[in-house]
Amino acid sequence: TLFPSDHRQCEQAMSEQSSRRRSRLIAGAIWGALLVAALVWIYVQGLSIREIMRLVYEYVVDNPFAPLAYIVIYGLRSLTFFPAMWLTIAAGSLFGFGPGLVYALIGENLSANIAYFMARFFRSEEHAQDDKNPRIAAFRRLLVEQAFPTTVVLRASFLPFDLVNYACGLLRVPWIPYALASVVGMLPPMITFVSFGATVNLPDLLSQQEFSPEQLIDAKQLMISGGLLVASAVIAFFAHRRRKTLAARAERNAGTDSD
């Protein structure tokens, strides 16, 4: 009598797996079609990144719900891979340093979390097999066990923003440490970009072809990021030692109980 039940459970599991795969394919196709349509429109209009940023600025500055419009645009940015640094600078120019920092922090973290959950949604059973690769498995174990300090290190290392977001989602880094570490890791460069944006007129800045946001990453910014890297490494080291000590103590207690 067990076999029919097992057979039904197996069929149900296969049906759910097939449904998830179909949902991912449909969502991926819609996302890809919209992205291609946007790229075709940009090509036909002959727009550059600076011109797109100017359109975004003009839309937000004239919007009666400017903060909300800015946050929504920043959140959806992760679906288009538009450079995040320009939007962070725009926060200072649009709202001033204090409010701009708050709105940029909300928008950038919304963007990071949308990308994270998109990656988790699209992670298939085939990607799960990657954990059998010793290097990937070891890196994923580090991310899971030391999620907070490792994510801070990734943020402070100036790795591409979207690469970190999607990679953490694909590797299933625990969400709460990822979200908290993202706030800590994003804040130092964000302060630099927003404070710069608050001192300039963004439309005038966009007309200066020689300017690039990367120029704002100066020695002071690198020192702050270096400090975050060192602090994160120290936290990870002591957390690892504590975990080993607790594991050894539990093993000794188990041996004592068995005696």
Side-chain angles (χ1 to χ4, degrees):
T1 57
L2 293 176
F3 291 105
S5 175
D6 292 343
H7 182 67
R8 283 195 299 271
Q9 290 178 359
C10 183
E11 285 186 338
Q12 184 178 359
M14 292 180 65
S15 175
E16 291 176 355
Q17 183 176 340
S18 176
S19 176
R20 287 195 298 269
R21 185 181 296 112
R22 185 162 54 249
S23 298
R24 285 194 294 266
L25 287 173
I26 293 172
I30 294 172
W31 182 17
L34 291 174
L35 193 57
V36 169
L39 290 173
V40 169
W41 180 79
I42 290 169
Y43 176 78
V44 171
Q45 298 295 322
L47 298 175
S48 65
I49 289 177
R50 293 168 183 271
E51 289 165 335
I52 295 171
M53 189 63 241
R54 185 186 298 275
L55 292 175
V56 171
Y57 180 89
E58 291 173 352
Y59 173 77
V60 173
V61 77
D62 293 329
N63 196 299
F65 304 102
L68 179 61
Y70 171 83
I71 290 170
V72 170
I73 289 171
Y74 209 140
L76 297 177
R77 180 218 59 82
S78 57
L79 304 179
T80 65
F81 305 102
F82 187 83
M85 287 185 287
W86 277 114
L87 285 171
T88 307
I89 291 173
S93 183
L94 284 165
F95 309 111
F97 176 72
L101 184 63
V102 173
Y103 299 145
L105 191 61
I106 295 171
E108 191 162 353
N109 278 278
L110 178 62
S111 178
N113 283 285
I114 287 175
Y116 170 87
F117 284 111
M118 286 285 290
R120 291 197 66 152
F121 173 76
F122 282 110
R123 177 184 162 96
S124 65
E125 289 73 17
E126 289 74 17
H127 287 128
Q129 298 300 317
D130 292 342
D131 292 346
K132 295 181 179 179
N133 183 304
R135 292 183 178 178
I136 295 178
F139 183 62
R140 182 176 183 276
R141 188 162 56 251
L142 174 65
L143 278 173
V144 170
E145 294 178 356
Q146 308 285 350
F148 183 87
T150 305
T151 304
V152 171
V153 167
L154 293 174
R155 292 293 186 203
S157 299
F158 293 105
L159 291 172
F161 181 65
D162 288 313
L163 175 63
V164 174
N165 300 336
Y166 283 103
C168 287
L170 285 173
L171 293 170
R172 292 189 180 274
V173 175
W175 175 67
I176 291 179
Y178 163 81
L180 294 176
S182 292
V183 173
V184 174
M186 290 173 185
L187 202 51
M190 186 178 295
I191 291 172
T192 298
F193 292 130
V194 174
S195 62
F196 174 77
T199 64
V200 298
N201 181 287
L202 188 60
D204 291 343
L205 184 68
L206 291 169
S207 65
Q208 300 176 18
Q209 296 296 325
E210 67 277 6
F211 172 77
S212 172
E214 287 80 1
Q215 295 171 4
L216 298 177
I217 303 174
D218 56 11
K220 182 180 178 180
Q221 183 63 58
L222 291 173
M223 286 178 63
I224 294 172
S225 297
L228 280 174
L229 287 172
V230 172
S232 301
V234 170
I235 292 171
F237 173 75
F238 282 106
H240 179 67
R241 284 190 60 180
R242 177 172 173 76
R243 188 173 286 104
K244 287 182 66 176
T245 301
L246 292 175
R249 185 181 301 167
E251 188 175 344
R252 285 197 302 270
N253 292 338
T256 304
D257 293 340
S258 63
D259 293 342

